[in-house]
Amino acid sequence: MSEMPQDHRPLSRTRVLLAEDQGMMRGALALLLGMEPDIEVVAQVGRGDEIVDVALVSRPEVALLDIELPGRSGLDAAADLREEVPDCRVLILTTFGRPGYLRRAMEAGAAGFLVKDGPVEELASAIRQVLRGETVIDPALAAAALSAGPNPLSAREREALGAAVDGATIADIATRLHLSESTVRNYLSSAIGKTGTRNRMEAVREARQQGWL
């Protein structure tokens, strides 16, 4: 495991909240991080819509969030934490190293973004870095994000595509978003054009692949 800091001063343990929907992965990460001398996993959740409530009780200093979570995405939860628990630093840890996700994470106030294929020592080091006020980003992903450019979809276009994920009809989407059907068609048409696709389901797939949705 990681070495102790060189100054040998007594360490307080950094309080970490871990959000991961796969129970085995969550348990393994909690166990490995708990073996670090200066890190304590004080809370674990499997759903994105549990993160803020649990953080308000456990008061973590760092929240380690997956992106793909039931109930609410880790990116949305990161923005919620910025408002509700401003002293908590957010580190996004995900399988999906997509440039669009990185940009959205930074916009949500995340202090770091790492993919899951790294060693636990690297993750522990990242936790220490963000606690010190530093920003930690996977270098390859940072380069990809710069070359990919910004998300071309507006917030409303993302909402319309997001509501279309399950194959909902225009009428269903309009009801869900409290918009007229013609407005929904306009947003979807614009999103299809911006993604260079032929229909809304292709637009959904492309937006997800790029991390825009």
Side-chain angles (χ1 to χ4, degrees), residues 147-165:
S147 63
N151 186 342
L153 301 174
S154 70
R156 279 301 199 178
E157 289 163 356
R158 292 197 300 271
E159 284 182 348
L161 282 182
V165 165

Side-chain angles (χ1 to χ4, degrees), residues 5-39:
Q6 295 300 311
D7 59 12
H8 303 296
R9 288 178 295 180
L11 292 174
S12 61
R13 304 190 79 189
T14 300
R15 297 171 60 83
V16 173
L17 178 150
L18 177 58
E20 162 65 54
D21 64 328
Q22 297 183 26
M24 187 176 294
M25 171 70 77
R26 185 171 66 248
L29 279 175
L31 178 63
L32 290 170
L33 288 173
M35 294 173 70
E36 297 290 327
D38 57 337
I39 294 174

Side-chain angles (χ1 to χ4, degrees), residues 98 153 157-167 173 188 191-192 195 197 199-213:
R98 295 169 182 167
L153 301 174
E157 289 163 356
R158 292 197 300 271
E159 284 182 348
L161 282 182
V165 165
D166 58 1
I173 297 170
L188 290 174
I192 290 167
T195 55
T197 54
N199 56 59
R200 65 176 182 264
M201 295 315 296
E202 287 186 5
V204 167
R205 285 194 295 271
E206 178 64 17
R208 279 183 156 179
Q209 181 63 35
Q210 295 296 332
W212 296 335
L213 189 61

